[in-house]
Amino acid sequence: MTTYKAPLADIRFVMFDLLKVEAEYQRLPGGENATRDIVDAILDEAARFSEQVLAPLNASGDEEGCHLDKATATVTTPKGFKEAYATYVAGGWSGLTAPEQYGGQHLPESIGAPLKEMLDSANLSWGNFPLLSHGASEALRQHGEEWQRQAFLKPIVEGRWTGTMCLTESHCGSDLGLLKSRAEPQANGTYSISGTKIFITAGEHDLTENIVHLVLARLPDAPPGVKGISLFIVPKYKVEQSGQMGERNAVTCGAIEHKMGIKASVTCVMNFDGAEGWLIGPPNRGLMAMFTMMNTARLAVGIQGLGIIERGYQDSLAYARDRLQMRSLSGARFPDKPADPLIVHPDIRRMLLTQKAFAEGCRALSYYAATQVDLAERAPDADERKRADELLSFIIPIVKGLLTELANECAYHAVQIFGGHGYIRETGVEQYARDARITTIYEGTTQIQALDLLGRKIMQTQGVGLRHFLEEISAFCHAQAQNAALSEFIAPLAIAAKEWADLTQEVGKRALANPDEIGAAAVDYLFYSGYVALAYFWARSVAAAEDSAHPADFKNAKRLTASFYFARILPRTRTHAQALRAGLETLMGMPDAQFG
Ligand SMILES: Cc1cc2nc3c(=O)[nH]c(=O)nc-3n(C[C@H](O)[C@H](O)[C@H](O)COP(=O)(O)OP(=O)(O)OC[C@H]3O[C@@H](n4cnc5c(N)ncnc54)[C@H](O)[C@@H]3O)c2cc1C
């Protein structure tokens, strides 16, 4: 069984050298407290908690899973989870970025990104409990009435309660317009919520005294489809407007799912049998409010992907250094040993470098997205907030879609590097492959992210977010044009960025003739976008490393990994460009009946 070591050197590099958060934070309300000393201390503590408290519970939690007592409809989480949660709350982590008036520390959102990464690398299942609470907090903060924030947000921020997102029903997953749960207005201003939600993460558990469900349901006179969905707060124990907790509400866990991975994260069937709830936000505008939560949650699930990539890489590297098999083709590298370690073999290095390039590149991309959350919320200037918001909307489906897909690829490489020892359970890496699998599915599948990116974020906005991002790339290429250290990267990056803009135009034109062209291009477009975005962050990383006080080895490793990325990963864009240019006909030409 392996241990987890938080990659603090690279986390600090991304935050302080690449994204320059120290100076940025000083411009933002709440950021003035986030001095270098404070952020360093937070990172050290997060690393300690993840390494020492959460990581030791990862394999045991996977083995034990969660258990439902049907008689009492209560769920027991694996041994140690409850205590770990209590330690998390005592450490003040649940309120790290929440507003001060609701009990939080109001630190910039992007400080939460490395915390999230470390929790997820250490124990993805456990990390789901705070993840959902964070999403619920955001929805309450942005759309709740003041009494709702006082009554529901405060206890979540304090970590006394957790939150859920209740969207999915058996017949309605990606297509929320189909949902049937009902909300009947009551004379006292509450609503009676009825329906069955499935696959609800953290729907029932023993970590906290209450659970706040955010539930999508329809009012009696609601129009059909997505325009008739409202959002309700439904607590497990009823809550007075004063915040006083009352009797048990009519919401119960009917069953828990037995699943492929994240076995210690409980996935519940939730029955709402006339449960008391409160409307949050305007009637029939629930999806808008839920999107707030989804954006936060989608960025967080992208970071789950990063967590898995990093963890698998650490294990793979240790194993490749230790395991002796066969000799290097060019002659023994360690003649005193019975065989050479795996790391001498070129193809093992291909997989290791792929993991390393994705771990560090995805860290840069996802933390960058988190800094856009800071700017969209807190930048002093309205234009800057607007620009960050547009950039963020555009980048989130890329972060969610790409990082989770790459997590699956990297978990596959981890198992492959371990060979048969990776396939059996003892070494722990097969758990990463099972745990990673859900990340491309929940919070919107890769296809849904791709449609969101190309359909909504590009076509419906005339590509405003993409334009901002391409401007950044162009400004970077321009500024670095004479930098000899970057000569290998700037020209291919500029070419890829230009092709990205061209491809967008081409798909846009085809979509005017037939909207199905968007569906035919979307996933290839998402991958194309993601690989170019990573190329940008790799080139920036080399530049930032050169400018930093890091030792020569660190700078060299950044440059060599960037070279690997540009030579061996960026060319994947060729396949995606060609595939998406092949268009709709290659997919729809086959009559349904002739599939076999
Ligand atoms: C472990 C786990 C935890 C979960 N946690 C939660 C939770 O906390 N709250 C919650 O509400 N839900 C939760 N979910 C549900 C999850 O969000 C859904 O499973 C997911 O959104 C997909 O919906 P579906 O399973 O119904 O698949 P479907 O929507 O039936 O999709 C099936 C396939 O068709 C594809 N597809 C659908 N429409 C299109 C299209 N237009 N174009 C191209 N492809 C398309 C999808 O990408 C997918 O590959 C969870 C699920 C799991 C398994």
Side-chain angles (χ1 to χ4, degrees):
M1 201 54 68
T2 57
T3 52
Y4 168 64
K5 189 92 192 100
L8 285 177
D10 199 59
I11 287 175
R12 288 196 165 103
F13 166 74
V14 172
M15 292 189 74
F16 298 116
D17 297 306
L18 182 74
L19 301 173
K20 311 246 182 259
V21 297
E22 199 181 352
E24 279 293 291
Y25 288 165
Q26 295 313 306
R27 296 197 303 125
L28 307 176
E32 58 280 355
N33 297 328
T35 57
R36 174 75 197 233
D37 287 359
I38 297 284
V39 178
D40 273 336
I42 290 172
L43 294 176
D44 286 339
E45 264 313 294
R48 198 195 56 74
F49 175 69
S50 304
E51 291 166 0
Q52 296 176 17
V53 179
L54 290 186
L57 301 175
N58 196 33
S60 58
D62 179 58
E63 201 66 46
E64 187 184 336
C66 293
H67 295 283
L68 171 68
D69 178 349
K70 284 211 163 146
T72 56
T74 53
V75 167
T76 312
T77 54
K79 196 161 173 287
F81 269 45
K82 197 171 171 172
E83 293 74 13
Y85 185 79
T87 309
Y88 175 84
V89 172
W93 297 109
S94 57
L96 196 69
T97 58
E100 265 167 345
Q101 69 262 43
Y102 306 112
Q105 298 172 50
H106 203 220
L107 288 165
E109 192 66 30
S110 54
I111 296 180
L115 167 66
K116 186 84 196 62
E117 179 198 327
M118 290 185 245
L119 302 183
D120 292 335
S121 279
N123 195 325
L124 194 73
S125 284
W126 189 93
N128 262 340
F129 292 97
L131 187 159
L132 270 301
S133 289
H134 188 229
S137 299
E138 280 303 291
L140 284 161
R141 185 175 68 80
Q142 293 192 31
H143 304 284
E145 295 171 34
E146 187 50 31
W147 79 263
Q148 293 173 333
R149 295 197 199 109
Q150 292 294 340
F152 296 101
L153 175 56
K154 258 185 147 173
I156 295 178
V157 169
E158 288 164 5
R160 291 190 288 115
W161 302 354
T162 57
T164 73
M165 282 171 74
C166 297
L167 291 72
T168 308
E169 299 175 6
S170 58
H171 54 280
C172 120
S174 305
D175 188 353
L176 292 171
L178 299 174
L179 77 81
K180 290 181 181 159
S181 291
R182 318 280 326 164
E184 297 282 344
Q186 305 297 295
N188 65 357
T190 66
Y191 291 80
S192 171
I193 314 289
S194 301
T196 299
K197 298 284 178 179
I198 65 164
F199 298 164
I200 303 307
T201 300
E204 177 60 38
H205 59 75
D206 57 357
L207 303 186
T208 52
E209 60 186 17
N210 204 358
I211 301 171
V212 181
H213 303 288
L214 291 193
V215 185
L216 289 181
R218 285 184 190 286
L219 292 164
D221 54 354
V226 289
K227 292 195 171 132
I229 299 173
S230 305
L231 183 62
F232 298 87
I233 309 170
V234 185
K236 173 177 167 183
Y237 285 93
K238 290 183 184 175
V239 176
E240 306 285 328
Q241 291 210 15
S242 64
Q244 179 73 30
M245 211 166 86
E247 61 182 4
R248 192 75 164 78
N249 206 351
V251 46
T252 48
C253 173
I256 62 175
E257 305 297 345
H258 301 278
K259 49 195 195 292
M260 177 180 178
I262 57 162
K263 291 181 187 239
S265 164
V266 61
T267 308
C268 304
V269 174
M270 297 303 298
N271 298 318
F272 295 83
D273 299 311
E276 182 180 281
W278 301 92
L279 183 68
I280 171 169
N284 301 326
R285 301 292 305 276
L287 214 52
M288 287 298 296
M290 197 50 114
F291 270 129
T292 309
M293 208 165 157
M294 282 190 218
N295 268 342
T296 313
R298 285 177 175 178
L299 176 55
V301 174
I303 293 177
Q304 290 192 331
L306 166 63
I308 289 278
I309 297 171
E310 171 63 35
R311 184 73 193 267
Y313 174 56
Q314 290 191 12
D315 291 8
S316 303
L317 182 59
Y319 193 74
R321 287 200 159 117
D322 186 56
R323 172 81 170 164
L324 306 179
Q325 287 297 298
M326 300 183 67
R327 289 294 183 192
S328 161
L329 292 175
S330 54
R333 295 267 302 278
F334 293 82
D336 54 321
K337 294 186 172 171
D340 284 335
L342 292 177
I343 197 167
V344 307
H345 303 308
D347 197 64
I348 295 286
R349 297 172 85 92
R350 174 186 63 84
M351 291 188 278
L352 288 173
L353 279 163
T354 301
Q355 291 170 307
K356 182 174 169 61
F358 286 151
E360 295 174 20
C362 292
R363 180 169 298 120
L365 171 60
S366 58
Y367 289 15
Y368 166 86
T371 60
Q372 298 307 315
V373 179
D374 293 337
L375 295 177
E377 290 262 320
R378 305 189 192 191
D381 178 60
D383 285 345
E384 195 181 2
R385 286 199 299 277
K386 181 169 176 285
R387 183 183 183 279
D389 192 53
E390 289 162 350
L391 201 42
L392 183 66
S393 300
F394 157 76
I395 210 92
I396 276 187
I398 299 177
V399 172
K400 197 303 184 170
L402 184 79
L403 271 56
T404 59
E405 289 287 339
L406 297 183
N408 280 276
E409 177 184 336
C410 288
Y412 172 94
H413 292 322
V415 173
Q416 196 69 12
I417 288 168
F418 274 74
H421 297 273
Y423 191 74
I424 63 165
R425 298 194 71 167
E426 271 164 60
T427 54
V429 288
E430 58 84 41
Q431 186 188 343
Y432 309 150
R434 286 186 290 103
D435 285 357
R437 194 63 192 86
I438 187 60
T439 61
T440 66
I441 297 171
Y442 60 16
E443 291 309 333
T445 62
T446 305
Q447 289 79 7
I448 297 304
Q449 303 305 320
L451 288 174
D452 183 43
L453 174 66
L454 191 52
R456 290 184 63 233
K457 308 297 171 54
I458 302 278
M459 299 301 167
Q460 283 181 20
T461 67
Q462 285 78 48
V464 64
L466 172 65
R467 277 205 307 278
H468 293 322
F469 197 63
L470 288 175
E471 276 161 22
E472 270 195 30
I473 297 181
S474 169
F476 172 78
C477 289
H478 195 70
Q480 299 293 337
Q482 306 306 320
N483 184 347
L486 265 79
S487 58
E488 172 187 353
F489 309 119
I490 295 302
L493 176 60
I495 290 169
K498 159 95 176 55
E499 187 180 50
W500 193 359
D502 293 346
L503 280 171
T504 309
Q505 297 266 347
E506 286 172 39
V507 180
K509 273 191 200 137
R510 284 209 306 267
L512 287 177
N514 184 347
D516 258 343
E517 292 281 358
I518 293 178
V523 169
D524 282 301
Y525 185 85
L526 184 145
F527 274 105
Y528 186 98
S529 307
Y531 287 129
V532 180
L534 288 185
Y536 167 54
F537 283 106
W538 264 112
R540 264 184 75 174
S541 294
V542 175
E546 288 299 325
D547 284 348
S548 76
H550 283 275
D553 278 1
F554 184 94
K555 295 178 182 181
N556 203 33
K558 281 287 173 206
R559 197 176 46 74
L560 291 172
T561 313
S563 294
F564 167 84
Y565 184 87
F566 273 76
R568 283 184 170 257
I569 304 287
L570 188 59
R572 292 183 187 187
T573 51
R574 308 284 8 102
T575 310
H576 291 296
Q578 204 164 333
L580 75 86
R581 281 184 167 129
L584 184 63
E585 184 51 25
T586 50
L587 301 175
M588 302 311 269
M590 170 91 90
D592 291 2
Q594 287 174 27
F595 272 86

